[in-house]
Amino acid sequence: FHIGEREEKCIIEDIPSDTLVVGNYKVQRWDIHKHEFLESAPGLGMFVTVTSPSDISKLQVLLSKLYGPQGTFSFTSYLSGEHIICFQSNSTRFAVTAGSKLRMHLDIRVGEHFLDESAIRAKDKVDEVSVRLEHLIEQIYHVTREQDYEREREEKFRKTSEETNSNILWWAIVQTLILISIGIWQIKSLRDFFISKKLV
């Protein structure tokens, strides 16, 4: 995606609790002379800020750090919910002169557990099958956690739907009572009017 040199861009990721999130990014700056994005943006850094919902319905900062023109950031979610990941360049130019366009390549992996290749090579006695099996067990654990989170969200949605349906039912009953009351009042008013005019 594209981002202005002084602009902050945020994305929202819905993440279960106790989940590792790893992000890789690379920034390219627009060259006005060559009319293309340069492969690297030397001297340009990116502030990465990650906030998560907390118990008291406020945002809690999980990560706030300055990285280079390309880098890797990671964090672990403590609570399930929408996490906001924001990026902003460290450009010190004034807003009037900072007209450069930046192109950002971003790859976010949720629940990834990367295998440390150097550690694998160091363990001569551990064969490849057992290492792959451990990796699969971790992936199964992540899928189970994801399913639990989806069940929790579904339960919240069901409760909200039931409360809404209950409120709609009561509102319909109140509307019906109001309409019946207005109808009775109109009939009584018409009857009193006809009696006062001696039409009945």
Side-chain angles (χ1 to χ4, degrees):
F1 59 86
H2 290 156
I3 179 174
E5 193 171 343
R6 296 289 302 268
E7 181 187 358
E8 184 180 43
K9 198 89 156 184
C10 296
I11 60 170
I12 296 174
E13 283 286 331
D14 205 354
I15 304 169
S17 60
D18 298 321
T19 302
L20 174 68
V21 179
V22 179
N24 293 298
Y25 74 89
K26 176 183 173 185
V27 180
Q28 296 173 305
R29 180 182 266 155
W30 177 256
D31 190 322
I32 54 173
H33 304 295
K34 296 181 180 177
H35 297 288
E36 63 180 358
F37 286 98
L38 299 176
E39 269 309 303
S40 63
L44 188 69
M46 293 298 288
F47 284 107
V48 180
T49 308
V50 179
T51 52
S52 75
S54 67
D55 292 329
I56 51 174
S57 300
K58 291 184 181 177
L59 293 177
Q60 178 183 8
V61 177
L62 290 181
L63 173 71
S64 181
K65 192 174 175 184
L66 175 63
Y67 293 88
Q70 65 181 37
T72 300
F73 62 92
S74 64
F75 64 93
T76 302
S77 61
Y78 297 106
L79 294 171
S80 55
E82 292 183 343
H83 289 64
I84 302 169
I85 305 169
C86 296
F87 302 92
Q88 187 175 22
S89 74
N90 66 340
S91 173
T92 54
R93 295 202 287 174
F94 293 110
V96 178
T97 58
S100 272
K101 223 175 3 175
L102 303 175
R103 176 182 284 170
M104 190 148 181
H105 304 269
L106 178 64
D107 177 33
I108 293 180
R109 297 174 188 234
V110 178
E112 286 288 329
H113 296 277
F114 298 106
L115 294 173
D116 187 354
E117 297 296 334
S118 60
I120 292 170
R121 285 192 211 100
K123 297 176 183 177
D124 295 329
K125 295 180 181 178
V126 180
D127 60 358
E128 189 179 343
V129 176
S130 64
V131 173
R132 295 294 171 200
L133 188 61
E134 283 179 19
H135 186 63
L136 283 174
I137 289 169
E138 283 187 7
Q139 291 294 331
I140 290 168
Y141 177 64
H142 171 66
V143 168
T144 306
R145 246 184 348 205
E146 187 81 33
Q147 286 176 336
D148 290 341
Y149 177 56
E150 291 300 326
R151 267 193 231 98
E152 181 187 324
R153 286 184 63 195
E154 188 179 341
E155 188 178 342
K156 282 182 187 173
F157 180 73
R158 185 176 52 77
K159 283 181 182 175
T160 306
S161 298
E162 286 174 358
E163 287 173 8
T164 305
N165 287 339
S166 173
N167 291 339
I168 288 171
L169 176 66
W170 282 110
W171 178 241
I173 291 170
V174 168
Q175 278 185 321
T176 305
L177 290 174
I178 290 171
L179 285 173
I180 290 171
S181 303
I182 290 173
I184 291 170
W185 177 77
Q186 284 181 333
I187 290 170
K188 187 177 179 303
S189 298
L190 277 172
R191 187 169 159 261
D192 292 344
F193 174 76
F194 288 145
I195 289 171
S196 66
K197 295 294 181 182
K198 297 181 181 178
L199 297 173
V200 177

